[in-house]
Amino acid sequence: QVQLQESGPGLVKPSETLSLTCAVSGYSISSGYYWGWIRQPPGKGLEWIGSIYHSGSTYYNPSLKSRVTISVDTSKNQFSLKLSSVTAADTAVYYCARHRGNWYFDLWGRGTLVTVSS
Amino acid sequence: QSALTQPASVSGSPGQSITISCTGTSSDVGGYNYVSWYQQHPGKAPKLMIYDVSKRPSGVSNRFSGSKSGNTASLTISGLQAEDEADYYCCSYAGSSTFVVFGGGTKLTVL
């Protein structure tokens, strides 16, 4: 079955760049769908960060757009998130997820906790 | 502050029905039939329960149903079971500038 798995450093220093990768298994990214990132600060709600279409078109949360880059590597069947100039407010569980054009997220990774601290 | 407004908590006894509301604006909930609902148990990833306002994915119990009236969407759970105790989040498409917004989440307690 289709699975998503996040990976990346669990600790990032303030002002540095957070980098995460989502590996997709059981489905070829280049076959379709949108692929997104969503985060959840400890004890708080969900926040959509951004998404990428298999063709490479990107869509970002306006409140994070200036700091976010999402890219796709079809050869490795994975997509990635970079969030620059992080602060403690960026501490969260980061999820990768799949969605369709009507913007419902039907498949999620297990999530990875990223802590921003010196 | 979340873009969509949900009650912080709701509760019900086993076998009862509960409804969780999700209030937005004409720019999101009211403007599109692209409302989805997610269930999240502690320490777990969210799970899609309802999409396109009222459609259920394969494998989701028919005790879960969704609806929308104006700028407010609703999730109804009938025949409450202990396993339904979780956090629930609504989500809506919000146009080609904002794209996606979530509600703040509702904690469901099964008494």
Side-chain angles (χ1 to χ4, degrees), chain A residues 31-60:
Chain A
S31 295
Y33 282 101
Y34 294 75
W35 306 89
W37 290 96
I38 297 143
R39 69 180 182 179
Q40 185 173 35
K44 297 188 178 181
L46 301 169
E47 180 182 35
W48 173 72
I49 299 170
S51 298
I52 189 165
Y53 193 47
H54 67 92
S55 63
S57 299
T58 53
Y59 311 83
Y60 297 134

Side-chain angles (χ1 to χ4, degrees), chain A residues 40 62 95 102-105 109, chain B residues 34 38 40 44-45 52 89 100:
Chain A
Q40 185 173 35
Y95 295 99
N102 39 358
W103 295 85
Y104 63 88
F105 300 89
Chain B
Y34 292 156
Y38 303 86
Q40 186 180 36
K44 300 294 187 182
D52 291 354
Y89 293 91
V100 174

